[in-house]
Amino acid sequence: MLLPEQQFLSETETETSSSSSHNPSSSTSLPKSAITSAAAESKKSYILRKCIALLHSCASSVPKLRQVHAFSIRNGVPLSSPDMGKYLIFSLVSLSGPMHYARKVFDQIPHPNIFTWDTMIRGYAESEDPSPALHIYQRLRLSSVEPDTHTYPFLLKAIAKLMIVREGEKVHCSTLKDGFESLMFVQNALLHFYGACGRSESAHCLFEKMPYKDLVAWNSVINGYALNNMPNETLTLFRKMGSENVKPDGFTLVSLFTACAELGALSLGRRAHVYMTKTGLDKNLHAANALLVLYAKCGSIKEAKKVFDGLQIKSVVSWTSLIVGLAVNGFGEEALELFKEMEFRRMAPSEITFVGVLYACSHCGLVDEGFAYFEKMKKGYGIVPKIEHYGCMVDLMGRAGLVKKAYKYILEMPVKPNAVIWRTLLGACAITGDLSIGEIAREELRKLEPKHCGDYVLISNLYASERRWSDVHNVRKAMLDEGVRKVPGHSLVELGNITYEFVMGDKTHAQTEAIYSKLSEMTRLLRLEGYAPHTSNVLADIEEEEKETALSYHSEKIAIAFVLINTPPGTLIRIVKNLRVCGDCHLAIKLVSKIFRREIVVRDCSRFHHFKDGECSCKDYW
Ligand code: ZN
Ligand code: ZN
């Protein structure tokens, strides 16, 4: 195949020769200089037309585009000529080409028209670094060119990515001044911006005022609520959408499932699943994958598998979601089996698939296999390991008690260890009781993330395990002196279609009395099973949350009591906790699962705990 320039040259030659042969007399009656300048002019405009045609037709890659550009320069076509620069930038942006290249071209155009300004803003908005979109817009406002209907949606997209609320609000004002606010796609862009920046209420306000709302508008507001952890609002709007006869599409369901997954709102997810099947949207792979993730994140791996098995076409995302889902839920062997099947079917795993695989190895204590998979990922699949993968390896060794090896591994890693890596190591030290490495990890953490409450807890537990009470005391003092703020713990639990939130010592619920009498019954029965609350040494017990007392129980216990009194025997209990479950609660929940014969799934900030018959799937390592 000919490259554009070769193709172009061969065509020019044939055309010039043919035109001269067809029109031999035309040049005879004009003065020679005029002939040359006219001919040069016509050649120039011909080359220009040709270049633009080439940009349209054969610039299917950035290198080809560069060739056309180089050719135009050699033939004296200036970027200032109408259309040349404009089409060059447009082609570059359409190919998601490098924006610094587009910018170089742009800066040479003396008077870009609004199309070119918009294309530049769009290019940046769609790129990885959208911030220059704002500079381009500011330059546009200083020029004599007026923004048009396309300017704002692209600009707002960039601002939404950058999450700069103030800039977005200013732009909102400009749309009002310029009279573009009533345009549906400007409104939709504003809705998306407010939702993405955590201003879902503003998005909703704007939405309410819109005289006509299309599906995109509904989706933007629903997605805004979903992103901002407002599940009840998400649900209300989803219902309203139904009552106004607007049919949800795959995007709506993806937002809905994502929200449900974050909050563990399983029954709402299940209802949407029914709807999805009824309307045939279960054929939508994105929505089906989001549903699979929802079930996995709610700890209902059976349902996740069912969704997976029901998929007619399974993408890499589907395989990966189930592998990761199985691994984080503690079903390591099954995750690895599924990965083998994936390879057998010649599906190329992604880097996220390997996060699941390595996590599964870690969970099953398969250290050698973990290293083998890590090598396979690099050499077999050409995936460059990311910090997440190294994190998995540190976890793998830590969990197997190989703390020294893990520390050495961190020092030799080709990427700079981040706080998560050091925290993983510190966690392993806290469990194995390796104080010297634990202190090193803590020092690194103090440099990287100085005021992370959980780290103080880990190091304090480590000192406590060595009975170094004065060090425990010093950690607590440092916490106070350094003003480390504790994140208030809360637990979410779903009952019916409503998600309830409980905080420590919560007494705001209407059923408070019943909840607390259940809690004392729980404590009584637990003691009969040999449970002794972790109160032996107050100093030893710096938890992420305040020390628990009989009057102020940790939120997960309150949530469990609440579900126990409101559901029939045998119903599974699901809790989503924002902090790490403390040792005392972990022990108590294990016993509750046995005494009350309830399966209890707790998702805390780092992993899943499936409690059943007095055991936990994390095997007491978390
Ligand atoms: Zn607790
Ligand atoms: Zn556990």
Side-chain angles (χ1 to χ4, degrees):
M1 202 194 129
L2 289 171
L3 291 171
E5 189 170 340
Q6 292 162 333
Q7 183 187 347
F8 174 81
L9 288 176
S10 58
E11 280 172 26
T12 345
E13 277 158 25
T14 47
E15 275 191 47
T16 21
S17 56
S18 67
S19 66
S20 57
S21 67
H22 277 299
N23 233 342
S25 59
S26 62
S27 57
T28 47
S29 56
L30 285 166
K32 204 176 176 190
S33 61
I35 299 165
T36 23
S37 81
E41 207 43 54
S42 92
K43 192 184 173 207
K44 221 178 201 176
S45 84
Y46 174 74
I47 290 174
L48 175 64
R49 280 203 316 277
K50 195 68 205 173
C51 283
I52 290 167
L54 278 170
L55 286 176
H56 274 308
S57 62
C58 64
S60 56
S61 69
V62 176
K64 282 186 180 175
L65 216 121
R66 282 186 193 275
Q67 283 183 334
V68 178
H69 186 195
F71 178 78
S72 73
I73 293 171
R74 278 203 300 279
N75 287 278
V77 178
L79 285 169
S80 56
S81 68
D83 297 347
M84 184 58 205
K86 163 177 143 181
Y87 281 118
L88 187 55
I89 292 174
F90 181 74
S91 307
L92 252 171
V93 166
S94 304
L95 288 169
S96 312
M99 280 312 289
H100 59 87
Y101 182 15
R103 181 62 172 264
K104 262 189 188 156
V105 175
F106 181 76
D107 287 341
Q108 288 175 55
I109 304 174
H111 302 291
N113 62 9
I114 187 62
F115 179 85
T116 311
W117 286 100
D118 288 349
T119 311
M120 284 302 291
I121 295 174
R122 175 189 144 201
Y124 281 122
E126 288 168 356
S127 74
E128 280 189 3
D129 174 21
S131 54
L134 268 172
H135 307 151
I136 298 283
Y137 172 69
Q138 279 146 6
R139 266 172 65 184
L140 163 67
R141 300 278 12 190
L142 294 173
S143 77
S144 56
V145 182
E146 289 291 325
D148 71 354
T149 52
H150 296 285
T151 315
Y152 292 112
F154 295 138
L155 181 64
L156 285 164
K157 189 175 177 179
I159 296 174
K161 265 194 186 173
L162 294 163
M163 294 175 58
I164 345 177
V165 182
R166 272 199 60 77
E167 282 305 322
E169 283 169 346
K170 276 194 225 157
V171 171
H172 189 172
C173 288
S174 305
T175 63
L176 283 164
K177 272 188 230 149
D178 295 343
F180 290 132
E181 202 229 16
S182 59
L183 288 174
M184 177 112 76
F185 53 92
V186 174
Q187 285 175 335
N188 284 345
L190 283 166
L191 289 181
H192 169 73
F193 149 72
Y194 280 119
C197 293
R199 299 290 175 99
S200 24
E201 289 303 332
S202 306
H204 195 203
C205 254
L206 184 69
F207 177 75
E208 286 296 324
K209 286 186 208 144
M210 282 168 69
Y212 176 76
K213 305 165 175 87
D214 66 355
L215 185 57
V216 178
W218 282 97
N219 281 349
S220 300
V221 188
I222 290 180
N223 192 38
Y225 276 134
L227 282 177
N228 294 300
N229 285 356
M230 295 166 86
N232 294 333
E233 285 80 358
T234 310
L235 173 62
T236 308
L237 213 58
F238 184 68
R239 281 206 191 107
K240 198 172 168 211
M241 186 176 178
S243 70
E244 295 193 10
N245 285 325
V246 183
K247 300 255 173 298
D249 65 356
F251 286 108
T252 327
L253 291 181
V254 170
S255 304
L256 191 66
F257 291 147
T258 311
C260 294
E262 270 325 298
L263 294 140
L266 184 59
S267 62
L268 166 58
R270 282 197 186 118
R271 284 184 44 205
H273 185 182
V274 173
Y275 172 86
M276 183 176 167
T277 319
K278 254 199 257 168
T279 50
L281 279 170
D282 51 345
K283 309 278 180 303
N284 181 311
L285 191 57
H286 292 296
N289 285 338
L291 180 66
L292 199 167
V293 171
L294 158 75
Y295 283 135
K297 277 205 168 180
C298 289
S300 182
I301 218 64
K302 254 187 222 153
E303 282 168 292
K305 269 193 237 168
K306 231 175 160 177
V307 173
F308 180 79
D309 291 335
L311 291 175
Q312 285 172 350
I313 302 162
K314 297 176 175 72
S315 67
V316 175
V317 176
S318 327
W319 285 89
T320 300
S321 305
L322 188 56
I323 290 171
V324 172
L326 284 164
V328 296
N329 276 285
F331 304 99
E333 287 94 354
E334 292 181 46
L336 294 175
E337 277 308 310
L338 195 67
F339 178 72
K340 280 175 198 152
E341 197 186 326
M342 184 181 181
E343 282 195 302
F344 178 73
R345 301 205 178 184
R346 299 190 175 281
M347 295 288 288
S350 68
E351 52 185 50
I352 304 167
T353 321
F354 276 102
V355 171
V357 169
L358 296 175
Y359 198 92
C361 291
S362 167
H363 210 97
C364 300
L366 301 168
V367 179
D368 294 340
E369 285 83 348
F371 274 94
Y373 278 121
F374 191 81
E375 283 306 302
K376 188 175 211 173
M377 169 177 85
K378 282 198 296 188
K379 297 197 178 118
Y381 292 100
I383 297 171
V384 180
K386 288 201 167 155
I387 194 93
E388 291 83 3
H389 300 113
Y390 290 106
C392 288
M393 295 307 284
V394 173
D395 187 61
L396 173 79
M397 289 176 266
R399 212 172 226 275
L402 306 167
V403 174
K404 282 191 181 64
K405 192 173 171 175
Y407 176 52
K408 201 167 158 258
Y409 186 84
I410 293 175
L411 296 180
E412 287 166 2
M413 261 163 40
V415 291
K416 199 174 173 298
N418 61 9
V420 179
I421 301 259
W422 289 116
R423 194 164 296 130
T424 308
L425 185 70
L426 178 57
C429 294
I431 288 187
T432 55
D434 194 316
L435 193 58
S436 58
I437 295 183
E439 282 180 324
I440 297 171
R442 191 211 176 188
E443 268 323 292
E444 293 296 331
L445 281 165
R446 285 180 88 133
K447 283 182 225 152
L448 291 167
E449 273 179 23
K451 289 187 181 177
H452 192 280
C453 171
D455 300 339
Y456 290 82
V457 177
L458 289 174
I459 193 76
S460 149
N461 288 350
L462 184 48
Y463 285 131
S465 71
E466 297 285 304
R467 312 199 143 263
R468 285 172 53 168
W469 307 123
S470 66
D471 287 317
V472 171
H473 182 80
N474 288 340
V475 173
R476 165 156 274 194
K477 195 169 170 300
M479 253 176 117
L480 293 171
D481 293 349
E482 290 161 25
V484 176
R485 285 240 308 272
K486 292 183 180 183
V487 182
H490 67 244
S491 292
L492 299 170
V493 70
E494 192 194 36
L495 198 71
N497 287 314
I498 301 166
T499 306
Y500 296 90
E501 183 183 325
F502 293 96
V503 295
M504 177 180 172
D506 206 317
K507 289 201 172 138
T508 55
H509 196 271
Q511 285 179 305
T512 294
E513 217 170 295
I515 291 172
Y516 277 80
S517 84
K518 193 76 193 174
L519 280 165
S520 34
E521 183 199 335
M522 271 162 65
T523 313
R524 194 171 47 81
L525 291 171
L526 288 174
R527 281 180 199 274
L528 289 177
E529 279 289 319
Y531 159 82
H534 282 201
T535 47
S536 50
N537 190 305
V538 179
L539 282 176
D541 236 335
I542 304 179
E543 300 294 345
E544 267 183 271
E545 288 179 86
E546 284 301 330
K547 186 84 209 78
E548 185 178 300
T549 66
L551 293 171
S552 61
Y553 292 96
H554 281 173
S555 59
E556 54 268 56
K557 279 190 189 153
I558 301 173
I560 289 172
F562 171 71
V563 184
L564 281 175
I565 56 177
N566 286 299
T567 53
T571 313
L572 195 143
I573 303 172
R574 287 170 211 283
I575 313 271
V576 175
K577 165 105 203 230
N578 65 331
L579 302 176
R580 187 174 169 275
V581 179
C582 79
D584 181 48
C585 287
H586 195 268
L587 175 62
I589 299 170
K590 282 206 285 191
L591 294 170
V592 167
S593 76
K594 188 175 164 196
I595 299 164
F596 291 87
R597 298 219 187 96
R598 295 277 191 126
E599 241 183 281
I600 303 169
V601 181
V602 178
R603 187 175 95 199
D604 74 5
C605 62
S606 63
R607 65 188 74 223
F608 280 85
H609 303 269
H610 284 250
F611 297 95
K612 200 182 170 185
D613 303 327
E615 298 285 326
C616 180
S617 64
C618 76
K619 294 167 187 149
D620 298 337
Y621 184 109
W622 78 99

